[in-house]
């Protein structure tokens, strides 16, 4: 069973959705550890309630390389095979990415490459796109830029507010992230340059 390390900074709803998918048997994986860079992250409560190992590694005031080194060490201690960023509000260093080649993934609430960075849903509303969505992608050292694994489209309705659109995107994030992880767990995902190729299920 593939061992996941989930990195969070806040609410943790994507972490919860991954954990739920495991609990109902849809995702063949184990969450080896949850790491937060913020002690106040609500997602830590979810880990505590579920008895999932968790660590807080505060990032404030530590330089990036050093911080990433601490996180890598913790991930290695828990024998993590796939690192899942789930609302982890930090850019990773090149050395982190190299420590887990094609083994770090992220979920972002837009159809990348549109609207990278913060407040993606707000950017989508303000731009006036008719189709929004979410993306699971491999992580490189740049912001929201690695090869795309899976995307789900979410129509923008005329009556949408930022809140209603964000909520519908989040619902799809929760459906999309574990599916991408499951495909990786089944070793169906390969990276060819910028393209991710998904082979058929056995
Ligand atoms: C999600 O919208 C995710 O796409 C983005 O940050 C948010 C995290 O939410 N990267 P949660 O902590 O998983 O609830």
């Amino acid at each position: 069973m593939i061992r996941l390390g989930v990195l969070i900074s806040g609410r943790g709803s994507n972490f919860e959705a991954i954990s739920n998918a495991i609990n109902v048997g849809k995702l063949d994986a184990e969450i080896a550890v949850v790491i937060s860079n913020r002690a106040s992250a609500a997602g830590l409560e979810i880990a505590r309630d579920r008895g999932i190992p968790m660590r807080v590694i505060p990032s404030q005031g530590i330089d990036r390389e050093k911080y990433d080194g601490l996180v890598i060490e913790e991930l290695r201690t828990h024998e993590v095979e796939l690192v899942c960023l789930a609302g982890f509000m930090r850019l990773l260093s090149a050395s982190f990415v190299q420590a887990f080649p094609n083994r770090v993934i992220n979920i972002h609430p837009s159809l990348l490459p549109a609207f990278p960075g913060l407040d993606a849903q707000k950017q989508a509303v303000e731009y006036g796109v008719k189709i929004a969505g979410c993306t699971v992608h491999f992580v490189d050292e740049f912001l929201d830029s690695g090869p795309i694994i899976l995307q789900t489209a979410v129509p923008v309705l005329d009556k949408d507010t930022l809140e209603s659109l964000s909520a519908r995107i989040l619902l799809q994030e929760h459906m999309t992230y574990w599916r991408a992880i499951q495909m990786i767990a089944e070793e169906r995902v390969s990276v060819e340059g910028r393209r991710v190729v998904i082979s058929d299920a056995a």
Side-chain angles (χ1 to χ4, degrees):
M1 210 133 60
I2 191 165
R3 292 175 65 77
L4 310 178
V6 183
L7 270 51
I8 65 170
S9 297
R11 181 175 56 185
S13 73
N14 277 287
F15 150 55
E16 186 175 20
I18 293 167
S19 169
N20 290 344
I22 292 171
N23 290 345
V24 299
K26 289 191 286 200
L27 172 57
D28 303 314
E30 184 181 342
I31 301 178
V33 65
V34 176
I35 299 174
S36 173
N37 66 320
R38 291 185 189 147
S40 59
L44 291 169
E45 293 297 322
I46 302 166
R48 194 172 293 126
D49 287 350
R50 297 184 179 200
I52 297 170
M54 53 172 210
R55 296 285 178 274
V56 176
I57 307 180
S59 53
Q60 224 174 6
I62 308 181
D63 80 64
R64 190 175 305 285
E65 290 286 333
K66 184 159 180 224
Y67 183 77
D68 285 5
L70 296 174
V71 176
I72 291 168
E73 204 179 301
E74 196 64 44
L75 293 167
R76 295 251 192 260
T77 300
H78 288 87
E79 296 175 2
V80 164
E81 295 163 297
L82 181 67
V83 182
C84 304
L85 309 187
F88 188 62
M89 302 300 283
R90 287 180 60 83
L91 207 58
L92 298 180
S93 61
S95 49
F96 190 114
V97 175
Q98 281 152 21
F100 293 93
N102 286 339
R103 288 275 146 178
V104 187
I105 62 175
N106 180 44
I107 183 139
H108 182 76
S110 79
L111 292 177
L112 290 170
F115 313 129
L118 287 177
D119 299 325
Q121 305 94 327
K122 184 160 176 267
Q123 294 184 55
V125 169
E126 284 173 358
Y127 197 93
V129 291
K130 299 297 188 192
I131 309 279
C134 62
T135 302
V136 180
H137 63 94
F138 284 108
V139 170
D140 58 21
E141 64 267 47
F142 306 107
L143 184 64
D144 301 324
S145 83
I148 290 168
I149 305 166
L150 214 52
Q151 294 187 299
T152 303
V154 174
V156 182
L157 310 176
D158 289 342
K159 62 176 195 309
D160 261 330
T161 60
L162 173 58
E163 290 70 31
S164 65
L165 178 64
S166 301
R168 284 209 321 290
I169 294 174
L170 190 63
L171 212 62
Q172 293 307 318
E173 291 183 43
H174 296 164
M175 303 289 287
T176 307
Y177 210 175
W178 69 261
R179 286 180 200 279
I181 297 168
Q182 179 62 20
M183 292 189 314
I184 293 170
E186 290 170 3
E187 299 182 346
R188 293 167 53 206
V189 175
S190 57
V191 185
E192 297 173 8
R194 268 221 61 91
R195 289 190 63 217
V196 170
V197 178
I198 316 253
S199 58
D200 292 340

